[in-house]
Amino acid sequence: MNVKQALKVKNKLVTDLKANFEILKKYNSIEEGNPRRYSMNDTLDNITELSNELVELKAQIHRANQPVYDKIFALAELKGLVKELKKVPTEEGKINERYGSVVSVKEVELNVVDIQNKVNILTTKIEEIQNELDIHNANTNI
């Protein structure tokens, strides 16, 4: 199995774990006399099994990704930077109240175009790194 396939299996395991925890939360406490739809002990056993599989798979993925950790970390930081840049206020000029009176005049050092240009540059870097990681994930077996 390559890293790409392992990541898909990991996501399925996480989804299955969440579903089992939901069963545990929803069906553990029931009205006395009502039928019990799920065995909580079986559900807990299943959670333990899925957790163990997930730990082993994550360890294998991490070992396989060791040569590209720098790219993985760079990708995360660039995505975070883009997210934060998109939050930077870029309102400038006269800011009007509802009824047309000027409340304040704002100025910016980085306007909306500057921010968008920086985001575009970072997005291009993100895509380049993601492409490298996609190649690694498709060609690296665990």
Side-chain angles (χ1 to χ4, degrees):
M1 162 174 25
N2 64 28
V3 174
K4 180 180 178 181
Q5 293 164 327
L7 290 169
K8 286 183 180 180
V9 171
K10 178 189 75 78
N11 290 339
K12 183 175 181 336
L13 286 171
V14 168
T15 300
D16 291 349
L17 264 171
K18 286 180 184 177
N20 275 269
F21 277 116
E22 285 302 314
I23 288 170
L24 200 60
K25 289 189 284 188
K26 187 173 181 179
Y27 296 104
N28 184 53
S29 179
I30 62 170
E31 276 294 320
E32 187 178 339
N34 282 348
R36 185 168 294 280
R37 302 290 181 213
Y38 295 94
S39 164
M40 294 302 102
N41 287 316
D42 289 348
T43 302
L44 276 174
D45 290 345
N46 198 27
I47 287 171
T48 301
E49 184 180 317
L50 289 168
S51 294
N52 290 339
E53 284 181 54
L54 187 59
V55 167
E56 180 58 34
L57 187 59
K58 282 182 173 183
Q60 291 175 350
I61 291 169
H62 281 280
R63 284 191 292 272
N65 281 339
Q66 198 166 9
V68 292
Y69 274 150
D70 58 333
K71 289 176 179 32
I72 292 169
F73 297 145
L75 186 64
E77 293 304 318
L78 288 171
K79 286 181 177 181
L81 183 54
V82 165
K83 182 179 175 182
E84 293 304 316
L85 279 174
K86 288 181 175 182
K87 295 178 188 176
V88 172
T90 55
E91 290 179 340
E92 58 184 325
K94 293 179 182 179
I95 307 301
N96 295 319
E97 276 264 334
R98 285 187 199 168
Y99 304 109
S101 61
V102 175
V103 173
S104 65
V105 178
K106 293 187 176 187
E107 62 180 37
V108 295
E109 187 170 334
L110 298 171
N111 64 33
V112 68
V113 174
D114 296 329
I115 297 289
Q116 188 57 52
N117 288 338
K118 291 183 184 307
V119 166
N120 290 344
I121 290 167
L122 293 171
T123 301
T124 299
K125 288 181 185 178
I126 288 169
E127 290 169 357
E128 290 169 1
I129 293 171
Q130 187 62 61
N131 287 338
E132 291 177 43
L133 289 174
D134 288 345
I135 291 168
H136 167 80
N137 290 347
N139 295 330
T140 304
N141 290 320
I142 61 169

